[in-house]
Amino acid sequence: MYGLSDEDLVIQSRARSFADELIPFEVQAEMDSGELPPDVTAGHAKRAHELGLHSTNMPTELGGGGCSMLQVVLVQEQMGRVTNALGWVAATPPSWLPPIATPYQIEQFVRPAVAGEREECYAITEEGAGSDVAGLQATARRVQGDAVKGDGEAGGEYVLNGVKWHVTSYNTADFAFFQGVLADGPHAGEHAMFLVDLPSPGVTVVRNPAYSHTISHHHPIVEFADVRVPASHLIGAEGDGMTFAYEWFRFERLMVAARCLGAAERLTSEMTTFAKERQVSGRPISEFGTVAAMLADSLTELFAARSLVYETARGIDRGNDVKIAHAQCSMAKLYASEMAGRVADRAVQVFAGRGYMRENVAERFYRELRVERIWEGTSEVQRAIIAAQMTKRGPAALA
């Protein structure tokens, strides 16, 4: 099914087995604010590396898996079967960075991230600029010399200022991607992206809000106040920031879609088993038409979503035009995230009172999946992207 190669099936099976190892820890994490004992967490990270499931999207010459986009999707789909973000241990560092990173950046940031020695977070979203990153108010001002990429010693500095929201994984990261508007110079008003070591003077947590899901990765509001970074930490060139943001969004939207497939599969399997066993008036509830419809609709939508996500990944592997890939990643995220939300809602209904208990997988996914329609661009933004490409290229170019 789905035309997977033997190599695809091997890595999919390996990822599925690892997900099955993580699932027994879900309730413990749920009942302890998303946290597991450090030795357990370290063991999971070690296992992900041993199985070749960490950095599957990164080049082999940097220590990564060198997997196709379809294979990366297959791994992340299985990680999506696990609640409480335990599957995030199979991390995917920024694969868009190596082609444009300097040798200094490769050694200081990329290789350590691939090895699991460093972890990144993204400081991009702001209070007034969420899905529309073009509206950022954060600034980057050049000081002390020319802004040229160097070796960590030459080329002047930038001073960064801004307040960033929803900085996911800030509490576990030791460097951040900061995007801001250039305040002066020939590219004033354009965007630039920087690598910022954490901690750094001037970087402080303003507030750490509580969120609906129960995971160990926090999403604080973080202030960057006169944070000085050397020009060697500028990614690419001045004015390139939006290009990198779009590349990041494209990849992450497809990963969101992949994880939603895994969640929907887990939910569909769990509620089918329950519906076969739960008796009402001497009959399994799976025989009642309304419950049967929920099961049937969930599996049908999962099949459709999986086909869409896999084909989108294959298109990227074939080298499809980047604008088409951008729209198709939006299509995949839009449909898969909304599909998974519907499946979670049905699962809670099928489990009934049990489905409202935090120890139940349906309850956890019901909360966790809601954000998939928001982060990395809301469903409304995805629809706008898709429609814009439809009018420019015609529907047949996208589907």
Side-chain angles (χ1 to χ4, degrees), residues 221-290:
I221 300 169
V222 181
E223 182 177 13
F224 292 73
D226 292 331
V227 177
R228 304 177 81 91
V229 297
S232 59
H233 286 47
L234 169 67
I235 301 173
E238 291 187 353
D240 286 347
M242 288 298 290
T243 299
F244 305 142
Y246 289 142
E247 289 191 33
W248 172 62
F249 276 134
R250 210 161 29 245
F251 178 81
E252 288 299 328
R253 285 165 183 167
L254 190 57
M255 296 305 103
V256 166
R259 289 189 290 270
C260 284
L261 297 181
E265 182 200 339
R266 171 96 181 275
L267 288 165
T268 301
S269 175
E270 296 271 5
M271 67 172 154
T272 300
T273 298
F274 180 77
K276 287 167 56 180
E277 297 173 352
R278 176 76 168 106
Q279 299 275 325
V280 172
S281 301
R283 297 166 55 197
I285 62 172
S286 60
E287 294 181 3
F288 290 83
T290 50

Side-chain angles (χ1 to χ4, degrees), residues 162-237:
V163 177
K164 299 293 186 176
W165 282 50
H166 315 304
V167 185
T168 299
S169 301
Y170 178 87
N171 61 309
T172 59
D174 58 8
F175 71 96
F177 290 95
F178 175 97
Q179 185 165 332
V181 179
L182 291 159
D184 53 16
H187 296 280
E190 298 178 24
H191 285 227
M193 189 176 286
F194 301 86
L195 293 155
V196 181
D197 287 300
L198 298 175
S200 280
V203 182
T204 58
V205 173
V206 176
R207 188 162 63 88
N208 193 18
Y211 287 77
S212 295
H213 53 212
T214 310
I215 68 177
S216 62
H217 296 256
H218 301 169
H219 320 274
I221 300 169
V222 181
E223 182 177 13
F224 292 73
D226 292 331
V227 177
R228 304 177 81 91
V229 297
S232 59
H233 286 47
L234 169 67
I235 301 173

